[in-house]
Amino acid sequence: MRLVQFELSNGERRVGVVEDGLVREVQDARSVRDLALAAIEAGVNLEQQVQTLGLGISHDYSALLANLQILPPLDHPDPAHMLVSGTGLTHLGSASARDKMHQQAGDETAMTDTMRIFKWGVEGGKPATGQAGVQPEWFYKGDGSIVVRPGKPFPLPPFAEDAGEEPELSGLYVIGHDGKPYRLGFAVGNEFSDHVMERKNYLYLAHSKLRSCSYGPELRVGELPQHLAGTSRILRDGEVLWQNEFLSGEANMCHSLENLEYHHFKYSQFLRPGDVHIHFFGTATLSFADGIRTQPGDVFEISQAEFGAPLINGIEPVEAAFEPGTVGTL
């Protein structure tokens, strides 16, 4: 089952199931978060909760996408109660892409640390079920305010030195009233980072991740296939500037999903009932590693057949939200 959140022409929200080019409304559902919390309370899974509520009228999916009425497939009414985070060096091949980036800067120390963490993951990232393996690289990306809906451009702040895509899978979670995390499913995501800033010094990684992101348009309910192959491409003036295959799923990863989830949710501050978590699982495919430099007007397109419609976002410069020396004094 693949779910979307969308807006009607009057701005009212709906939840829908994608079927054969149509989006069928889930009866009496206004958000996927509420749907998930109700399923947790009822002791059923998300698909069973949808079946209990039933499906109503249909909408043309392509029209909803074209009109930018499709929302991210999971959000929170209060963006402060939504945490966006991620893990790196989780995929086979991810270390070589990262090293290629850092070698251009001649940063031997960062390259060595990259390979060391990757090696730890290969050796201990897939422990036995119920056991904790080696912890991955982890980063904070932002709260719900940084999420860009499918089809809309990523804001490019004046201080940004790069606007680079990162095609990844994201896990979508809700914390139940019992304080336990529940995975609703997965979505294709564009983690969108500043690779020029990161390349200057690996300690700038945290800064480089504080950018917008997007995921969806569809939430794929249930377990993830072991092997996934998708396409990441960049369009400029309607022509393909760069294109490459990206692989995901545990068959292409050096960490198990269970291990990645454990090392995120082991922190008690991430277990606040009702909160939403979007967690990016990493990638091994970057246009930046191939020497591509994006610019405003370029369009990212990330697609995997198992996740339905592609995720499309552009790049648009924005004015500074804050200037040096303008902190007020009380």
Side-chain angles (χ1 to χ4, degrees):
M1 176 178 284
R2 302 200 306 274
L3 297 175
V4 293
Q5 296 191 124
F6 63 101
E7 293 175 332
L8 302 178
S9 56
N10 63 4
E12 291 184 6
R13 292 173 58 116
R14 295 289 188 272
V15 175
V17 174
V18 179
E19 292 181 347
D20 300 323
L22 298 175
V23 173
R24 296 194 62 192
E25 288 187 19
V26 179
Q27 302 276 29
D28 302 319
R30 298 296 178 266
S31 78
V32 169
R33 174 179 172 272
D34 289 345
L35 191 70
L37 290 174
I40 294 169
E41 289 297 310
V44 300
N45 63 34
L46 204 53
E47 187 166 356
Q48 290 169 330
Q49 183 66 16
V50 169
Q51 292 170 347
T52 296
L53 294 176
L55 301 180
I57 63 174
S58 298
H59 302 264
D60 182 81
Y61 189 23
S62 60
L64 292 174
L65 287 166
N67 294 329
L68 302 181
Q69 292 172 259
I70 297 292
L71 301 166
L74 178 64
D75 56 6
H76 194 290
D78 179 358
H81 283 274
M82 181 172 167
L83 177 72
V84 185
S85 57
T87 48
L89 300 172
T90 54
H91 283 65
L92 302 172
S94 57
S96 61
R98 180 79 66 84
D99 264 350
K100 187 176 181 180
M101 183 167 65
H102 286 294
Q103 285 169 1
Q104 293 169 352
D107 191 345
E108 293 296 326
T109 302
M111 181 184 68
T112 300
D113 287 344
T114 292
M115 293 306 297
R116 183 180 295 119
I117 291 177
F118 178 73
K119 182 173 182 288
W120 291 345
V122 171
E123 294 173 348
K126 291 184 175 181
T129 299
Q131 300 295 313
V134 67
Q135 62 186 6
E137 175 190 57
W138 183 97
F139 59 86
Y140 169 75
K141 193 152 182 72
D143 63 16
S145 66
I146 69 162
V147 177
V148 175
R149 74 170 65 187
K152 287 205 167 183
F154 292 119
L156 183 66
F159 57 79
E161 301 181 58
D162 178 44
E165 89 297 336
E166 293 207 13
E168 307 187 19
L169 291 183
S170 56
L172 281 58
Y173 305 85
V174 168
I175 310 301
H177 296 303
D178 55 1
K180 177 182 175 181
Y182 292 84
R183 186 198 322 122
L184 283 62
F186 301 89
V188 169
N190 188 339
E191 196 250 299
F192 192 65
S193 300
D194 190 330
H195 301 111
V196 171
M197 181 175 290
E198 180 191 346
R199 188 179 66 177
K200 286 182 174 180
N201 189 301
Y202 188 71
L203 296 179
Y204 280 162
L205 175 71
H207 282 285
S208 75
K209 295 299 186 181
L210 294 175
R211 299 294 184 272
S212 297
C213 70
S214 189
Y215 52 92
E218 303 173 28
L219 160 63
R220 187 181 191 277
V221 175
E223 296 300 318
L224 191 69
Q226 287 290 304
H227 172 79
L228 290 164
T231 300
S232 176
R233 66 177 185 168
I234 302 172
L235 305 177
R236 179 172 294 171
D237 299 323
E239 301 292 331
V240 176
L241 173 69
W242 175 88
Q243 178 172 308
N244 208 343
E245 179 184 57
F246 74 99
L247 302 177
S248 196
E250 287 192 344
N252 300 294
M253 299 172 68
C254 55
H255 284 265
S256 65
L257 292 173
E258 180 181 293
N259 193 52
L260 298 179
E261 290 173 333
Y262 166 71
H263 285 294
H264 177 70
F265 289 112
K266 68 184 181 183
Y267 299 104
S268 59
Q269 63 265 42
F270 294 164
L271 298 175
R272 185 165 47 198
D275 278 10
V276 165
H277 289 251
I278 308 299
H279 193 75
F280 287 93
F281 289 116
T283 187
T285 305
L286 302 172
S287 67
F288 184 85
D290 291 338
I292 298 297
R293 301 296 179 269
T294 61
Q295 62 188 37
D298 288 351
V299 174
F300 302 112
E301 184 177 291
I302 298 174
S303 59
Q304 282 192 325
E306 293 86 351
F307 289 82
L311 176 63
I312 299 173
N313 301 95
I315 308 171
E316 182 176 81
V318 295
E319 294 182 359
F322 179 77
E323 298 290 350
T326 58
V327 172
T329 301
L330 297 178

